[in-house]
Amino acid sequence: MWKDWIRPFVRPLPQWSTVAIAPTSRAVTATLHGDDASVDVTADHTVASLKPLVIATSVDAGERPLLEYTDSTTQRLLGVLHLVRMAPVTTDKASISLYQVEGGEHYCLSWLRRSWNAWLQNRLMLKSRAPHHLAMDPSAVQQLMTAYLHPRPVVLVSLDAPGHQNIFPMDLIGPLERSGLFSLALRSTNVSEPVMREVRQVALSSIPAAMKNVVYKLSEHHKQPLSDWNALPFPVRTSREFGIPAVSSALHIRELAVLHSQTIGSHTFFLCRIASDEDLAEGLQLHHTAGFHQAYRRKRNMPFAEV
Ligand SMILES: Cc1cc2nc3c(=O)[nH]c(=O)nc-3n(C[C@H](O)[C@H](O)[C@H](O)COP(=O)(O)O)c2cc1C
């Protein structure tokens, strides 16, 4: 159809693609190239802040490392981020390196289509900027999309404190493998942020892909707390040690004890110890990846299942 042919010229790819992936999948490998060595950080890096865009890892890779994302099957380079070291986060348990993203590019599309698609996406971002939103610079959003070449799992985070209960989606989360810690980056304006700093306990439910619509609806709870656990459109079960209501149909429930929290730009970065880890069901988990990554995979007849 002529419309399919013309679409890439007039309409940008979506920034994000919501996909169904096995929690153990390692479709993309992340490697940090530092001064002395290259280290696999697939399970050891996460986003710590969006504005500025900051990556956290338990690896110290020197002053100006490169973070590369490669397709684990074909070994093709998908994208790269140029990083600059910031002051680390230091606790009595670990020192976590922070790197501000200074530049980046992806190689999922041909040069011409990449530049044109970025121009269309950036134009749309500038046009649809709402004043109360976190207005990231379009070039930083392009770099964030590159960080999402490594698909990010979506969880529902729940907390239950006297006078305050809540459950909301997060994907700026992840293990910092070598430190044994797990991190969460939560916008400092989130209504539960002060409570999380105070009670220091949360439960993370790994969400089956089929629950996408319910999860997106719960993003309203970034702004307002939950009035009643019984009002949720799915059953809950209490987490093993902390007794926090979590999602009964979760693939996995992880309890986190917050060891340290600090503000990094627009976000509060929580460093946590995993207090319990329950595997409940097999299945595909909701993930986010970059739209250009899904386009790359579709062209090669290996798209992630879209939800
Ligand atoms: C699937 C999903 C994952 C999200 N992950 C995070 C997250 O990790 N950290 C965060 O601070 N906000 C997260 N959010 C919240 C949104 O980014 C946004 O802050 C929230 O919806 C409020 O929007 P606004 O303040 O820009 O209007 C997530 C939302 C959704 C739907």
Side-chain angles (χ1 to χ4, degrees):
M1 275 269 283
W2 69 272
K3 274 189 185 163
D4 293 335
W5 183 83
I6 204 138
R7 191 172 290 125
F9 296 99
V10 292
R11 233 196 264 164
L13 288 168
Q15 290 179 6
W16 317 110
S17 204
T18 45
V19 292
I21 308 183
T24 50
S25 154
R26 281 177 70 117
V28 173
T29 303
T31 310
L32 195 55
H33 299 281
D35 295 342
D36 309 318
S38 296
V39 182
D40 185 330
V41 290
T42 311
D44 201 336
H45 80 291
T46 185
V47 172
S49 156
L50 291 183
K51 202 175 173 183
L53 182 56
V54 176
I55 301 286
T57 169
S58 39
V59 176
D60 180 352
E63 215 37 63
R64 305 179 80 86
L66 286 182
L67 179 55
E68 279 188 357
Y69 296 97
T70 45
D71 185 316
S72 304
T73 315
T74 62
Q75 311 304 323
R76 252 186 88 140
L77 182 62
L78 298 174
V80 61
L81 292 176
H82 303 257
L83 307 180
V84 181
R85 181 150 70 184
M86 301 166 70
V89 177
T90 314
T91 73
D92 53 350
K93 291 266 179 303
S95 175
I96 302 298
S97 305
L98 294 181
Y99 287 101
Q100 185 163 340
V101 179
E102 196 186 50
E105 51 270 332
H106 74 87
Y107 310 109
C108 293
L109 307 172
S110 66
W111 178 82
L112 199 61
R113 179 144 188 236
R114 187 163 77 225
S115 312
W116 181 239
N117 180 62
W119 187 84
L120 289 172
Q121 283 182 328
N122 294 354
R123 188 181 64 152
L124 195 63
M125 277 184 242
L126 292 171
K127 250 173 53 183
S128 51
R129 239 176 204 193
H132 69 284
H133 281 217
L134 182 77
M136 288 175 76
D137 190 65
S139 61
V141 179
Q142 295 289 343
Q143 292 155 5
L144 180 64
M145 287 186 248
T146 301
Y148 273 76
L149 283 171
H150 175 233
R152 309 218 66 92
V154 176
V155 297
L156 281 174
V157 175
S158 40
L159 69 157
D160 196 27
H164 183 103
Q165 56 204 8
N166 211 352
I167 183 161
F168 47 80
M170 286 190 77
D171 66 354
L172 301 178
I173 62 158
L176 299 172
E177 199 174 44
R178 290 170 184 80
S179 67
L181 300 178
F182 196 98
S183 74
L184 309 172
L186 185 62
R187 230 176 119 181
S188 306
T189 52
N190 176 292
V191 67
S192 298
E193 187 265 3
V195 187
M196 264 169 72
R197 281 181 185 257
E198 179 79 26
V199 299
R200 295 172 158 253
Q201 291 183 345
V202 291
L204 265 57
S205 306
S206 296
I207 296 303
M211 286 181 71
K212 175 189 161 181
N213 291 339
V214 175
V215 166
Y216 271 74
K217 181 84 183 54
L218 290 178
S219 70
E220 68 196 30
H221 291 299
H222 278 275
K223 290 195 173 133
Q224 63 198 50
L226 177 75
S227 55
D228 183 356
W229 290 111
N230 293 319
L232 289 172
F234 48 77
V236 292
R237 56 186 279 161
T238 49
S239 67
R240 198 161 69 193
E241 285 186 28
F242 301 155
I244 301 172
V247 181
S248 293
S249 55
L251 303 175
H252 203 99
I253 296 178
R254 224 184 248 118
E255 291 178 302
L256 301 181
V258 175
L259 301 177
H260 177 85
S261 58
Q262 83 178 54
T263 309
I264 302 176
S266 54
H267 282 60
T268 303
F269 185 60
F270 291 93
L271 271 179
C272 311
R273 171 179 67 81
I274 300 172
S276 77
D277 208 339
E278 281 182 276
D279 253 333
L280 300 173
E282 304 253 306
L284 299 179
Q285 186 175 352
L286 186 62
H287 281 71
H288 287 148
T289 192
F292 50 64
H293 184 206
Q294 179 70 337
Y296 165 90
R297 296 184 68 92
R298 199 178 290 120
K299 194 165 175 202
R300 285 155 186 82
N301 294 320
M302 52 175 198
F304 294 124
E306 251 172 87
V307 283

